[in-house]
Amino acid sequence: MTLLTFFGRLLTAFGPSTVFLITYIGPKPTLVLLGLSACLFWLIGILIVSIFWYFIPGMHNLIVIGIGSLVQELVRYLLFLVLYRAQDTLIKTEVVQRNHQFQYAVGCGFGFGLMSALVSYIDPLIVSIGPAKLDCQACPQLDVLFLGAILALLFQILHLQWGIIVFHGWQRNSWLEFVFVLMTHYVASASTLFLSTDLSFGCAVPIIVCLVLILGMSIWIRWIVIKIKHE
């Protein structure tokens, strides 16, 4: 039974991303490189956040989340600048094509989301192999490790969407998308604090928030795809 729950959590958190990796990212070497680069940049961002946390102890959770969201999005912008600077060179070497900028965002967003999920959930996942059960404080009838798997999946989708939206804005010299992504990143991250409250059904809050954001940004991305096709 323990192994069944372990594989259930594993497939819930990383099953869809694995399928996406095999079917969409894997066959395109460029996207694999972009995804790996994004993983590295995300790790740099979380290292910066950990330095803040180490040298300024006792910060409120909301402040930590705010700093973390801001640093991650600034690192995403740094990655965009690196790709933008290298774009002409990549085109000359036929590594990428000029009309594949949308795929830049997909590869980078996927890398950000995957590394975020691995770092945040792989340790709880390994611990879940043990026989004990860890109940969620907000919803004692539910296993917090399974809720973590669901949130890991949702945040992978969010990072993918955030990458597409904000890259689209930066390519057009617009920072409104960055503000939107930063605010929604903060809201989605802050909503996870409800898991450790005594609020009835507080465990549903982060899931609902993430699903609403995913639905709204899916419509936005659909509009972006249509606009790119017309261009």
Side-chain angles (χ1 to χ4, degrees):
M1 190 66 180
T2 301
L3 286 178
L4 289 178
T5 56
F6 168 78
F7 283 108
R9 294 164 184 147
L10 176 65
L11 293 176
T12 299
F14 300 107
S17 59
T18 301
V19 173
F20 187 72
L21 175 63
I22 294 174
T23 59
Y24 187 80
I25 301 293
K28 302 173 183 177
T30 303
L31 294 188
V32 175
L33 293 175
L34 291 176
L36 292 175
S37 300
C39 289
L40 175 61
F41 273 76
W42 188 90
L43 287 174
I44 293 173
I46 208 65
L47 174 62
I48 296 173
V49 175
S50 65
I51 292 174
F52 274 100
W53 179 82
Y54 180 80
F55 285 103
I56 312 177
M59 286 190 296
H60 193 277
N61 288 335
L62 292 176
I63 298 178
V64 175
I65 291 174
I67 294 175
S69 301
L70 177 60
V71 170
Q72 287 184 53
E73 297 310 326
L74 290 177
V75 169
R76 199 193 301 267
Y77 179 63
L78 179 61
L79 175 60
F80 171 80
L81 288 180
V82 171
L83 293 177
Y84 182 79
R85 297 291 184 183
Q87 179 173 260
D88 292 337
T89 302
L90 293 174
I91 292 173
K92 289 178 182 179
T93 58
E94 297 183 354
V95 176
V96 298
Q97 299 179 19
R98 190 173 297 275
N99 61 345
H100 284 180
Q101 292 180 338
F102 180 82
Q103 293 187 358
Y104 291 1
V106 173
C108 293
F110 175 79
F112 259 70
L114 181 60
M115 184 54 64
S116 172
L118 287 173
V119 171
S120 62
Y121 189 65
I122 197 66
D123 187 56
L125 182 62
I126 295 174
V127 173
S128 70
I129 299 178
K133 177 186 176 184
L134 183 60
D135 294 331
C136 177
Q137 182 175 340
C139 303
Q141 66 276 21
L142 295 179
D143 180 11
V144 71
L145 296 175
F146 181 68
L147 292 173
I150 295 175
L151 289 174
L153 170 62
L154 294 178
F155 269 88
Q156 288 179 78
I157 300 173
L158 286 172
H159 272 291
L160 178 62
Q161 293 180 320
W162 285 330
I164 294 173
I165 291 174
V166 78
F167 270 45
H168 178 75
W170 285 329
Q171 288 163 2
R172 286 154 180 76
N173 296 318
S174 172
W175 283 85
L176 292 177
E177 289 84 354
F178 174 81
V179 174
F180 170 81
V181 168
L182 178 60
M183 292 177 60
T184 53
H185 192 163
Y186 178 79
V187 170
S189 299
S191 67
T192 60
L193 295 177
F194 283 95
L195 293 174
S196 57
T197 65
D198 295 325
L199 179 67
S200 298
F201 301 104
C203 58
V205 174
I207 296 176
I208 293 174
V209 169
C210 290
L211 288 176
V212 170
L213 291 177
I214 289 172
L215 177 60
M217 288 191 290
S218 297
I219 298 173
W220 190 346
I221 291 172
R222 177 58 182 168
W223 174 80
I224 291 175
V225 172
I226 294 174
K227 187 176 180 180
I228 291 176
K229 288 182 178 180
H230 285 300
E231 291 176 352

